[in-house]
Amino acid sequence: MTLFDDIYPFYPLQRSSFLFSGRLITIILVFLLLAASLLIILPGIRGKSRLFWMIRIVTSLFIGAVLVALNYTDDWAEARMTTNATYKSFSDAVVNADIGLHIGLYGINVTLKGNPIVQFNETIDYNEMFSWHDTIEEEYEEALEKGLPNPILYIAEKFTISNPCGLIFQYRYSGRYASATLWTAFCCWILANILFSMPVILYAGYMMMATAAFIFFAMASFSTIMNAPQCVFSIGSNSFEAQYSHSFWLALATGLLCTIIGVLVTMLHFLIPEKMKEAFSVGVDSYEDEDVSYEEGYLNAVFLDGVTISPLSSKVREEHI
């Protein structure tokens, strides 16, 4: 035990570990409410079309939720390692910890978790976010003032403008272009859903393929980072490099799904156009109105002067008989 229980007196206490992104929670809740409100109408749909509408609603909302969420996830690329590293500045304390770097379109997330989690009478469980809306310099200076652990400061410093690696320029611009194309894909998804509700199923298929194209453009924009010289992160005796992670592969899967839907809709439109219109409940005349029975009525001669009355159709005549 030391005078300050191994907590440095000039540094504030570490903040609690980041659990989950509030934006992602909001996105998930919004799309879950949309799904619930749309699935409520399923009992009113009769026959086999009920299953088709359920699959259509779930698939469409899944694509929309992914397109929005991918803008705010922080795992387009990531790197992890376990090593022994100096814990904080002005201290010789060495900790064994899992270090993680998670890169998104708008910033990085650096994690540090001790093995074991409690060392030197302190809970080592950090999860720090650094965004690059403008520059990362201000947040890096705040991290220095807070006295964050050295591994976190080392990784964050790699993304500053003054660092020779130049990672901030690579990731910031590629992330901006990827985000812009993802929002364009989201607009195409909205247009596709509108067109699916109109008698223009072919163009809805085209918009789904356009959605897939913009998703692939976003992936290509982010992939340009890998073509640049990679910066190696060396902490302790180990080092690591960032590689593609969950969000990147999720974008690929969603793009392939949109491509399959677009191609199928386009092909089936040319092969079986009437059945496609019937499946999507557009452009199909309802014959239920023709089964309306005509009851006996009275004609007012005052309003019928000079009006030619056409004879009743054979169907109506049979009903009266």
Side-chain angles (χ1 to χ4, degrees):
M1 296 291 290
T2 61
L3 179 61
F4 295 100
D5 293 330
D6 290 321
I7 297 177
Y8 303 98
F10 301 106
Y11 298 142
L13 292 176
Q14 74 219 53
R15 63 183 182 183
S16 59
S17 177
F18 175 79
L19 297 177
F20 201 74
S21 171
R23 289 180 175 178
L24 290 180
I25 293 177
T26 303
I27 293 168
I28 293 172
L29 289 177
V30 168
F31 278 91
L32 284 178
L33 288 175
L34 284 174
S37 61
L38 292 174
L39 292 175
I40 288 175
I41 68 174
L42 287 182
I45 302 176
R46 295 175 294 180
K48 298 180 180 179
S49 59
R50 180 183 302 172
L51 178 61
F52 170 77
W53 274 87
M54 183 185 70
I55 296 174
R56 177 182 171 185
I57 291 172
V58 172
T59 303
S60 179
L61 290 179
F62 168 77
I63 294 173
V66 169
L67 290 176
V68 178
L70 285 177
N71 284 278
Y72 303 106
T73 55
D74 56 2
D75 56 353
W76 277 76
E78 68 177 8
R80 296 174 180 272
M81 73 173 180
T82 301
T83 187
N84 295 318
T86 303
Y87 185 38
K88 287 188 176 182
S89 301
F90 309 110
S91 172
D92 296 329
V94 177
V95 297
N96 182 271
D98 296 323
I99 303 172
L101 169 62
H102 311 271
I103 304 172
L105 302 183
Y106 290 100
I108 61 172
N109 182 236
V110 186
T111 60
L112 178 70
K113 190 171 184 177
N115 289 318
I117 195 170
V118 178
Q119 300 181 44
F120 302 106
N121 294 328
E122 184 175 348
T123 300
I124 303 175
D125 190 7
Y126 290 83
N127 195 322
E128 300 295 328
M129 188 72 187
F130 299 89
S131 61
W132 47 59
H133 290 292
D134 294 320
T135 62
I136 204 174
E137 313 297 311
E138 295 181 1
E139 295 189 8
Y140 177 66
E141 291 176 1
E142 292 178 1
L144 288 173
E145 294 176 358
K146 292 177 181 178
L148 293 181
N150 278 354
I152 297 178
L153 295 176
Y154 169 77
I155 295 175
E157 192 268 338
K158 289 283 187 180
F159 288 87
T160 56
I161 295 178
S162 58
N163 192 272
C165 284
L167 292 177
I168 181 65
F169 302 105
Q170 301 173 21
Y171 283 99
R172 182 171 64 181
Y173 291 116
S174 62
R176 285 179 178 178
Y177 289 129
S179 178
T181 50
L182 280 176
W183 283 117
T184 307
F186 181 72
C187 295
C188 292
W189 170 80
I190 294 176
L191 288 176
N193 282 275
I194 295 174
L195 294 174
F196 272 126
S197 303
M198 302 171 66
V200 283
I201 305 300
L202 177 62
Y203 296 102
Y206 289 159
M207 291 309 300
M208 288 303 298
M209 288 189 284
T211 302
F214 281 109
I215 294 175
F216 294 143
F217 290 154
M219 296 175 59
S221 174
F222 189 81
S223 298
T224 56
I225 301 170
M226 300 303 174
N227 297 328
Q230 293 295 301
C231 184
V232 179
F233 297 86
S234 299
I235 301 176
S237 58
N238 297 327
S239 61
F240 61 73
E241 294 181 5
Q243 302 293 333
Y244 295 129
S245 189
H246 305 90
S247 292
F248 184 87
W249 302 119
L250 179 60
L252 176 62
T254 307
L256 292 176
L257 176 62
C258 293
T259 302
I260 293 172
I261 294 174
V263 171
L264 282 178
V265 169
T266 304
M267 291 178 58
L268 293 177
H269 174 81
F270 288 108
L271 296 175
I272 46 175
E274 296 302 326
K275 289 186 178 180
M276 284 293 291
K277 292 180 180 179
E278 182 180 353
F280 286 91
S281 303
V282 294
V284 179
D285 295 331
S286 177
Y287 296 97
E288 296 179 356
D289 295 339
E290 297 183 2
D291 297 332
V292 178
S293 60
Y294 293 89
E295 299 179 357
E296 183 180 359
Y298 299 93
L299 301 178
N300 192 333
V302 176
F303 297 100
L304 296 178
D305 291 339
V307 177
T308 303
I309 302 176
S310 60
L312 294 175
S313 63
S314 60
K315 185 176 180 180
V316 176
R317 189 179 296 111
E318 292 174 358
E319 290 178 357
H320 278 285
I321 294 174

